[in-house]
Amino acid sequence: MQRAAGLYGSLIVLDGDDPFKKDPMYAGELSMLLSDWYHEPVYAQAAGLERKDDHFQWIGEPQTLLINGKGQFGCTLGDVVGEPKCDRKDGERVEAACDKRCGDGGKESEAEKKVVCEDEKAASCAVIRRSECGPFCNETQCGPVVFDVVPGRTYRLRIASSTSLSALNVQVQGHKLTVVEADGNLVEPFDVNSIDIYSGESYSVLLNTAAAEQGASPVSYWISVGVIGRKPRTPPALAVLRYAGSGPDELPTGAPPATPAWEDVGRSKEFAKRLKARAGHGYQPPPETTGAHRHRTIAMLNTQELVDGRIKWAINNVSLSLPFTPYLGAYAYGIPGQVFNTTPAPAAFGRKYDVAKPPQEQDPAAVLPAAVTDQVHSLAHGEVVDVVLQNADMRRDDVSESHPWHLHGHDFWVLGYGEGPYRGDAADEARLNLRDPPLRNTAVLFPHGWTALRFVADNPGVWAFHCHIEPHLHMGMGVVFAEGMEEEKRLRELRHKVPREAIMCGKTALAATSPSPSP
């Protein structure tokens, strides 16, 4: 839950042969880091998620959406566009006038004067005073982030989401966006009016500042970021695209673009399906699963379970709980059996499970008891791994959510999406793209459907694969891939190459002080 507390930032790796910089109209980059902000401490959120039975407390919706760490809360649109009852410019004047009136000739006590004065100030600044913008709008944070551009040029706008919960839609008023990159990998360009972005995802879009319908003089435009996928209870975040020549305090006229219908999952799916890998630039299609490659398929059923009175998320009836000792250290020092449950994590689920029913309505023969454990999936080095993520009903009938699944240590090919249960039959196979699927590190599992992925286990280590929604991971929605850990040569490399400080805690701290036993 640390990301929800503000532990996040952007890390941008530049391409030495960036194709977009070759455009003579290219003017540079703009970066937009999106997040959501809960005003309640994450410790309280976590405690609520861990309560039993009827005392379980879901974290709810965030209070604020942030763009580059800045957002609005308790601010009306009038506050943002420069028409509040008291703004940053006259806040001190209003406060000073209130203070003067409070001290003029009354017989009130000092305490009474303070109450009267505060009431007068509240009447003058009714909306803003209750917000996070600061009392009386002094140094207000209601104002939007501003991105300055020059007319008639092309900008690469990098958009990344580190939200705890929210899926978001991004629009730039009066401009189309050309999607060119997803999760650090180039895609075939295509134009959109807006993009949907889930936690953990990143995109680059080309923004052409000649495409806007401009008046006789330079103007500015709203950038609007709103919640999709869940019924919004959080106001949209606003930024401004400001053309050179606009006044420094000039803000867009009219209302910001409206966020699309939050429940229109079909629109989000169509966007995801339009992403195709761009040929060249080092792209390799996914390897075939026949011939010399060792291959395996892991089917992962995503359900919401009740374990010992606590609501948990589970994959194939297993809810992930990380051990106190690092997996990697346990392998490096030959003590995995002392650290975690070495029984292989289940790689499939019963085909009798009805994904259109909640867990408590299943045929008892179709399910196994759910358990909280720290089991892992062991992968051989070089193995080709197909993962089929299968969504299902939560603990309510006909209620299913989107989950952005994120893999550490790898990119994967997103082979395709489908509705209902994945059967692996000809109809499902026909939905897979084996020619130019995009390389990603995050893919969305949409409600009541499935998502198919493929990657090559060519990066030895212990890697998390999990839902990027913070409370869902906290409640167990994840698995662990232990990759190449069966080879003594690689374990010796771990002991020599991995900094000891990274793996020396728990039982490995003791093991590292004595000669390493054979695994």
Side-chain angles (χ1 to χ4, degrees):
M1 302 286 283
Q2 289 175 315
R3 193 174 75 250
L7 185 61
Y8 63 87
S10 287
L11 180 64
I12 297 173
V13 180
L14 300 177
D15 185 352
D17 187 29
D18 190 334
F20 308 113
K21 292 183 178 179
K22 299 173 184 178
D23 183 347
M25 302 306 294
Y26 185 80
E29 294 187 358
L30 306 169
S31 292
M32 185 185 297
L33 180 60
L34 308 177
S35 51
D36 47 13
W37 179 25
Y38 287 84
H39 298 181
E40 182 182 50
V42 293
Y43 303 102
Q45 294 179 45
L49 295 173
E50 293 162 5
R51 291 183 178 181
K52 295 183 67 173
D53 304 318
D54 295 337
H55 300 289
F56 172 83
Q57 290 183 351
W58 173 242
I59 64 170
E61 307 303 311
Q63 285 69 55
T64 312
L65 300 180
L66 302 179
I67 302 174
N68 293 352
K70 192 174 183 181
Q72 292 81 40
F73 175 72
C75 308
T76 67
L77 181 60
D79 304 326
V80 178
V81 301
E83 299 176 355
K85 294 180 180 178
C86 68
D87 61 19
R88 182 169 52 186
K89 295 178 181 178
D90 70 0
E92 292 183 4
R93 178 185 60 78
V94 172
E95 186 173 2
C98 285
D99 288 338
K100 186 175 186 302
R101 287 196 302 272
C102 286
D104 282 347
K107 296 182 180 180
E108 303 94 340
S109 67
E110 289 301 319
E112 289 172 330
K113 287 181 182 180
K114 184 175 181 180
V115 170
V116 172
C117 191
E118 291 302 316
D119 287 344
E120 290 182 9
K121 292 177 184 179
S124 299
C125 307
V127 175
I128 305 227
R129 192 165 178 268
R130 291 194 299 269
S131 75
E132 293 296 318
C133 301
F136 320 120
C137 320
N138 293 335
E139 301 302 323
T140 180
Q141 295 183 36
C142 282
V145 174
V146 176
F147 297 95
D148 289 305
V149 296
V150 175
R153 305 298 294 273
T154 298
Y155 290 83
R156 179 177 185 157
L157 175 60
R158 297 183 184 270
I159 308 172
S161 175
S162 65
T163 56
S164 302
L165 174 70
S166 307
L168 302 173
N169 176 269
V170 181
Q171 299 180 65
V172 182
Q173 185 182 34
H175 295 69
K176 284 192 176 294
L177 305 173
T178 303
V179 181
V180 295
E181 172 260 316
D183 294 350
N185 296 286
L186 297 180
V187 298
E188 284 294 328
F190 62 95
D191 293 339
V192 294
N193 294 318
S194 66
I195 70 165
D196 292 347
I197 183 166
Y198 292 77
S199 182
E201 293 187 317
S202 64
Y203 293 97
S204 286
V205 298
L206 297 183
L207 178 69
N208 188 333
T209 57
E213 297 179 1
Q214 300 181 47
S217 60
V219 291
S220 54
Y221 298 86
W222 287 118
I223 300 174
S224 181
V225 178
V227 172
I228 58 169
R230 305 177 67 88
K231 188 172 183 178
R233 292 181 174 85
T234 312
L238 296 175
V240 171
L241 184 73
R242 184 171 62 191
Y243 278 57
S246 301
D249 297 322
E250 183 176 347
L251 292 173
T253 58
T259 304
W262 67 270
E263 67 271 49
D264 188 359
V265 178
R267 188 184 52 79
S268 295
K269 290 180 183 177
E270 289 307 311
F271 175 81
K273 292 176 182 178
R274 293 184 69 183
L275 293 164
K276 310 290 183 184
R278 182 170 175 175
H281 303 280
Y283 174 77
Q284 296 291 331
E288 295 182 358
T289 56
T290 58
H293 297 290
R294 183 175 175 179
H295 171 250
R296 67 182 299 189
T297 298
I298 302 175
M300 296 186 178
L301 175 65
N302 194 93
T303 57
Q304 193 179 56
E305 305 286 348
L306 196 63
V307 184
D308 189 27
R310 292 180 171 87
I311 295 178
K312 295 288 186 180
W313 286 99
I315 305 302
N316 297 346
N317 300 107
V318 170
S319 183
L320 178 65
S321 176
L322 298 177
F324 290 104
T325 300
Y327 289 105
L328 198 63
Y331 282 109
Y333 291 99
I335 57 171
Q338 301 179 37
V339 170
F340 61 91
N341 182 351
T342 55
T343 303
F349 60 93
R351 292 302 172 181
K352 292 183 179 180
Y353 192 96
D354 187 346
V355 299
K357 291 182 179 180
Q360 65 271 26
E361 295 181 11
Q362 297 292 324
D363 182 338
V367 296
L368 295 173
V372 176
T373 183
D374 49 19
Q375 294 166 261
V376 305
H377 294 272
S378 295
L379 307 179
H381 182 63
E383 192 171 19
V384 177
V385 182
D386 281 1
V387 175
V388 179
L389 294 165
Q390 176 68 65
N391 217 337
D393 269 2
M394 298 166 59
R395 299 197 66 77
R396 289 177 291 166
D397 190 43
D398 200 32
V399 176
S400 183
E401 293 185 344
S402 295
H403 303 283
W405 276 78
H406 174 71
L407 177 60
H408 294 204
H410 293 275
D411 283 343
F412 47 66
W413 291 273
V414 184
L415 302 184
Y417 307 87
E419 308 295 329
Y422 180 84
R423 297 183 174 86
D425 55 18
D428 286 341
E429 294 289 336
R431 294 184 176 91
L432 303 183
N433 174 15
L434 300 176
R435 184 174 62 88
D436 57 357
L439 270 171
R440 307 287 309 264
N441 58 51
T442 305
V444 180
L445 174 60
F446 291 106
H448 302 292
W450 54 264
T451 300
L453 317 171
R454 179 173 296 174
F455 70 97
V456 180
D458 56 3
N459 189 14
V462 182
W463 306 111
F465 180 46
H466 62 93
C467 178
H468 212 263
I469 293 174
E470 290 276 78
H472 288 183
L473 174 57
H474 187 82
M475 296 165 68
M477 194 188 297
V479 300
V480 173
F481 294 131
E483 183 177 323
M485 295 294 98
E486 76 285 358
E487 301 177 26
E488 171 59 24
K489 174 185 175 182
R490 301 193 188 284
L491 297 179
R492 286 198 302 269
E493 290 176 350
L494 284 179
R495 290 194 288 270
H496 289 94
K497 292 183 178 181
V498 177
R500 293 180 67 186
E501 293 81 0
I503 56 178
M504 282 182 59
C505 59
K507 292 184 180 295
T508 49
L510 300 174
T513 60
S514 58
S516 301
S518 299

